Amino acid sequence: MPALTALTLLWFACLPAPSQGPSAAERLTLAPPTLNEVNEAQAVITVTLRLGSASDPTGKEGLSALLAAMITADANTRAATTGGQASHRITRELASFTVTGPGDAAAALAEALGAAIITPNFTQEGLERARTAAQRALTEPDPESLAAWGLMAWLYEAHPYRHPPEGRLGALSTLTLDDLRAQHGARVVRSGAFSGVSAPSAHQADAAARLHAALATLPPTVATPPTPKPVAKVEGVKGAVVVRPGDAAFALGHPLPALNAAERAALDHGLAAAEAELL
């Protein structure tokens, strides 16, 4: 997580009750890809799904992250023949997949991403690669990431938002191909899927049509987001604004998990450098 030069924590009295939102039928209507600003040299294909850590079953934190990593790996394999490269980003509610490559290969790149999302290549070897990468990232966190994880765990105790997008070490080691297939069937669905295409004008429409055709084969089921955690109204809420120089890292409001000596030293340095006064 990049270090910030300023951190503002605002505590609100309450959250509004969730609205009814669109009907199930409306949520199953797949919108065509958004045609973004045309780039005459490069194609950029994106798809976002309602696949995030909040949908991970308790005890299987990291399932969505591994699934997203395996979809991306498959998209990379499929797009490599046309010079494309895939990446993804996962949050608590969404996973976004992007493939970039030569502009004249836009249609092929769209097909590659669509195929990887619809029918990813689930192999034990691929799972182990994704698992190893995820475990390595979790064993080498920076102090600021630790602080963020601790804060979110405290804020969303007993709620799916508590699940970190990166997963949890103890859970990652237990996940299987059957778990991935089940999560794919439950969360890689038409509801909440949207996409975008940026490509040379001569190839943009074809790429968009192929991507839309692929996504139209997603199961016509609704992936319902978790209900926001209710927060009781509190009188006299105050905020704290903390300004810190450089890359100092620190946390507020909740104790961190156990840190090693180097991490503790970095945290102590950050707290000392902050020179903050809590209001």
Side-chain angles (χ1 to χ4, degrees):
M1 180 184 298
L4 307 176
T5 57
L7 175 64
T8 303
L9 297 181
L10 297 178
W11 299 88
F12 294 95
C14 61
L15 292 175
S19 62
Q20 293 299 316
S23 67
E26 290 171 325
R27 283 181 283 175
L28 291 178
T29 301
L30 182 66
T34 300
L35 301 182
N36 300 316
E37 183 178 347
V38 174
N39 183 332
E40 293 299 335
Q42 186 182 49
V44 181
I45 317 295
T46 65
V47 174
T48 297
L49 303 171
R50 194 169 289 285
L51 172 69
S53 61
S55 65
D56 291 344
T58 299
K60 296 185 178 181
E61 295 86 352
L63 182 56
S64 294
L66 287 189
L67 176 55
M70 293 190 71
I71 289 174
T72 299
D74 192 27
N76 264 318
T77 300
R78 296 173 188 264
T81 57
T82 53
Q85 186 172 13
S87 62
H88 75 275
R89 180 175 182 269
I90 188 166
T91 66
R92 281 172 168 76
E93 287 202 7
L94 302 172
S96 295
F97 302 90
T98 302
V99 171
T100 60
D104 58 3
L109 295 173
E111 284 191 337
L113 181 55
I117 289 172
I118 302 301
T119 56
N121 184 26
F122 289 133
T123 66
Q124 190 64 38
E125 182 182 3
L127 170 57
E128 295 307 328
R129 282 197 299 268
R131 192 199 319 271
T132 298
Q135 290 172 330
R136 183 183 303 117
L138 285 174
T139 54
E140 300 175 357
D142 60 272
E144 186 164 326
S145 294
L146 289 172
W149 295 340
L151 180 62
M152 293 300 287
W154 176 60
L155 287 174
Y156 293 107
E157 185 177 4
H159 187 275
Y161 285 170
R162 177 186 176 92
H163 302 167
E166 303 85 354
R168 187 171 55 80
L169 273 176
L172 285 169
S173 61
T174 69
L175 300 177
T176 67
L177 289 176
D178 287 341
D179 292 327
L180 289 169
R181 294 188 183 101
Q183 185 76 338
H184 183 272
R187 305 302 301 188
V188 182
V189 296
R190 193 177 302 172
S191 168
F194 54 95
S195 57
V197 172
S198 176
S201 52
H203 304 283
Q204 191 175 52
D206 187 22
R210 297 193 192 195
L211 183 61
H212 186 67
L215 297 180
T217 67
L218 287 170
T221 51
V222 173
T224 304
T227 302
K229 179 181 178 181
V231 178
K233 186 174 182 179
V234 178
E235 301 295 339
V237 176
K238 294 183 178 181
V241 178
V242 181
V243 180
R244 59 179 182 171
D247 294 335
F250 59 92
L252 295 172
H254 194 265
L256 286 172
L259 301 178
N260 61 36
E263 292 166 341
R264 176 61 62 185
L267 180 62
D268 290 343
H269 169 73
L271 289 169
E275 298 180 352
E277 179 181 354
L278 301 184
L279 303 180

